[in-house]
Amino acid sequence: MTRWNNGRDEVEPVSPDITDETNALPARYFTDPDVHEMEKENVFGRYWVYAGHANCIPEPGDHFTRSIGDREIIIVRTQDGDIEAFYNVCAHRGSAMVEETPMTDPGNASRIQCPYHLWTYDLEGELASTPKSFEDARLNPDLEDEDVSPVDPEENSLMSVHTDRIGPFVFVNFDEEPMSLAEQAGTMKTELESLPLEEYHLSRRIVSEVACNWKVFAGNYSECDHCQTNHQDWVKDLELLDSELEVNDYHWILHYKHREDVEDEMRIHDEHEAKFYYFWPNFTVNMYGTADGYGTYIIDPIDEGRFQLVADYYFRDPDLTEEEETFIRTSRQLQEEDIELVERQQRGLNSGAIAQARLGPNEHTVHRLHRLAQEAYEA
C-alpha cells in the first residue's frame, strides 16, 4: 500500500520489514544522510563491489585507482600476472600514495612509492625499501644508530583488499570474512564466464552525475513498466509482453525479446534477446541484442541525493565503426530519458509527502533490491 507521510513516520511505520511485495523500502531510506553513511559499511563495505576491467591493465605494473565510499584503493597487475588490490595508504604515516588514476587512463610503475617519505612497495604490496633516514638516528640525540630497529617488510606491507573476478570483471570486498564472489554471483558468474568477454575492449566511457539516490536509479533499471511510455524509440523493436524478469538471490536479469530476429553476428550471446544483469549492490552488465558488444554501469553513490553513473562500452575493436557510434548515441538517449525520470522521482521523495511507496506485480525485481538493502541495514 501507499503510505503518505502524516508527520508520524518515525514512530508509526506501517510495514517496517517490507515483507509484503507491494511495499517499497520506506522513503526516508532514499533521502536520509545517516542512511548514506550506514550504507558505506553495511552495503559497500560488506558485499563484492565492481572495481574495474582486467583488460585495462594487461601488463605488470599497470594500475588504476578506485574510490568506494570513503575508501581509496589501487588495483594493480602484479609481476606474475595476477590482479591485486591495496588501500591507497602508505604504511608509514598513512599518506595517500597514488593520485587519482582512472581505469580509462591507467598508469604503469615498476613499484608503488609514497611521495611523502619515499617508502616503496613492490607490486605484491610488500615493503621493498625505505630511505636512508630510516636506518640511522643522526638527528635523535637519545638513540644510537646501532639501536635503530630495522623496518620489517612483511609487517609493513600494504593493506590488501579481497579481490576476485568474473571473467575480466574485477571485484573487491572490504569485509574481513566475506562470502565468496561465487556465492554472491550465483548463476550469473557461470553465464558470464561462458562468454568471450576478454575478447572485447573498452571503447567508450560516459560519466554522468545524477541528482537522485543511487537506489532510485537501480530501481528504475530493474523494471520496464515505464518503458512503453518513456522509451518509445527503443521499445518499437521489442516484444515487451514476451519479456521476462528473472530474480535470483543477489542478481536479477531482464530479458527483452526483439520483434524480429537480429543477425547472429550482432550479439555476443546466443539468445535472440537483450539481457540486462543487475548485480547487487551497484553493477550492471548489459548484453545487447543489436550490437556485437556489451556494456556495464557502475552506480556509485556520492551522497544521499546524488550518484555517479559510469557507462562503459566494450567492443571487439576499440576504434568504433559508425554503426557502433550510432548504437552508443542511442544508448545515451536511453540514459538521458532515465535520468529525467529518476531525478523527478527524487524530487517527489525529497518533498516528504510520501512515507512508503507501493510496488506493482512486475516490480518484483525492485522489491528484491529493496529487500537486499533492508537485510544489509539490519546486519
Side-chain angles (χ1 to χ4, degrees):
M1 61 173 284
T2 299
R3 182 163 59 90
W4 297 106
N5 191 351
N6 59 3
R8 296 175 294 171
D9 182 33
E10 295 297 328
V11 294
E12 292 187 3
V14 172
S15 50
D17 60 359
I18 65 169
T19 51
D20 186 326
E21 284 199 356
T22 67
N23 289 330
L25 198 65
R28 68 184 182 87
Y29 288 94
F30 300 87
T31 61
D32 190 332
D34 290 340
V35 173
H36 170 68
E37 292 299 319
M38 177 176 62
E39 288 177 343
K40 290 178 183 178
E41 292 301 323
N42 289 23
V43 176
F44 297 96
R46 178 184 176 198
Y47 294 94
W48 289 93
V49 178
Y50 179 65
H53 201 282
N55 282 6
C56 294
I57 46 174
E59 302 296 332
D62 287 351
H63 63 272
F64 59 85
T65 61
R66 174 90 163 89
S67 293
I68 300 172
D70 296 328
R71 298 175 171 95
E72 293 182 28
I73 58 174
I74 309 167
I75 295 89
V76 60
R77 178 79 69 171
T78 65
Q79 287 290 1
D80 59 8
D82 291 336
I83 291 180
E84 300 283 354
F86 307 103
Y87 279 84
N88 185 20
V89 178
C90 181
H92 172 215
R93 297 255 299 270
S95 174
M97 300 180 293
V98 178
E99 295 299 321
E100 182 177 357
T101 308
M103 187 183 80
T104 49
D105 187 20
N108 181 274
S110 59
R111 294 185 172 188
I112 302 168
Q113 187 174 67
C114 178
Y116 196 0
H117 294 91
L118 302 183
W119 280 40
T120 304
Y121 306 84
D122 63 25
L123 298 180
E124 284 69 33
E126 185 166 309
L127 183 64
S129 66
T130 57
K132 183 70 175 175
S133 58
F134 283 85
E135 299 175 2
D136 62 54
R138 62 187 183 280
L139 300 181
N140 188 340
D142 299 323
L143 189 66
E144 299 296 329
D145 286 355
E146 55 269 26
D147 295 326
V148 174
S149 301
V151 180
D152 187 309
E154 188 171 338
E155 291 182 351
N156 293 279
S157 58
L158 296 180
M159 185 174 180
S160 62
V161 179
H162 295 293
T163 308
D164 203 348
R165 292 166 58 173
I166 298 175
F169 300 135
V170 180
F171 292 84
V172 295
N173 193 308
F174 298 102
D175 198 18
E176 290 187 5
E177 297 181 359
M179 77 170 86
S180 68
L181 177 59
E183 180 182 355
Q184 185 176 321
T187 56
M188 175 179 163
K189 178 176 170 64
T190 307
E191 289 184 27
L192 294 182
E193 290 185 339
S194 70
L195 302 174
L197 302 180
E198 290 87 349
E199 297 176 10
Y200 293 68
H201 302 276
L202 180 62
S203 302
R204 184 67 53 83
R205 165 169 282 193
I206 301 175
V207 180
S208 310
E209 182 176 314
V210 186
C212 78
N213 184 275
W214 67 279
K215 298 187 295 298
V216 172
F217 183 87
N220 177 79
Y221 180 94
S222 301
E223 53 87 9
C224 206
D225 275 4
H226 69 278
C227 295
Q228 188 67 58
T229 304
N230 295 281
H231 300 309
Q232 295 182 9
D233 289 342
W234 181 58
V235 301
K236 64 184 180 183
D237 295 324
L238 296 179
E239 292 284 3
L240 279 182
L241 294 179
D242 291 335
S243 298
E244 298 176 7
L245 304 180
E246 173 189 342
V247 180
N248 298 276
D249 287 346
Y250 294 98
H251 78 277
W252 39 97
I253 310 171
L254 291 78
H255 304 255
Y256 298 126
K257 297 186 182 302
H258 294 271
R259 289 188 190 281
E260 297 181 3
D261 194 11
V262 295
E263 298 176 2
D264 287 344
E265 60 266 25
M266 293 296 289
R267 56 179 179 273
I268 186 173
H269 56 87
D270 293 333
E271 293 84 357
H272 295 184
E273 61 183 14
K275 297 176 73 173
F276 295 85
Y277 297 79
Y278 192 99
F279 185 47
W280 168 262
N282 67 330
F283 181 58
T284 81
V285 181
N286 314 316
M287 290 293 169
Y288 310 121
T290 55
D292 183 20
Y294 62 93
T296 63
Y297 284 169
I298 310 170
I299 306 166
D300 268 344
I302 299 173
D303 55 32
E304 70 281 4
R306 295 180 300 157
F307 78 94
Q308 188 178 67
L309 177 64
V310 181
D312 289 329
Y313 296 88
Y314 296 84
F315 290 92
R316 289 189 180 276
D317 190 336
D319 296 325
L320 298 176
T321 65
E322 183 53 40
E323 286 183 339
E324 290 165 346
E325 291 280 6
T326 300
F327 175 84
I328 291 177
R329 283 194 293 272
T330 302
S331 175
R332 179 57 182 168
Q333 177 184 334
L334 275 173
Q335 291 167 32
E336 291 174 343
E337 291 168 351
D338 281 329
I339 288 171
E340 180 178 351
L341 295 176
V342 296
E343 289 188 336
R344 183 184 301 129
Q345 183 183 351
Q346 187 71 32
R347 282 166 44 205
L349 292 169
N350 289 343
S351 75
I354 193 168
Q356 189 166 28
R358 184 193 191 284
L359 298 176
N362 299 317
E363 294 171 314
H364 52 304
T365 44
V366 182
H367 188 257
R368 184 60 191 154
L369 171 78
H370 291 190
R371 286 298 303 271
L372 285 174
Q374 186 189 47
E375 290 170 14
Y377 301 154
E378 294 175 347

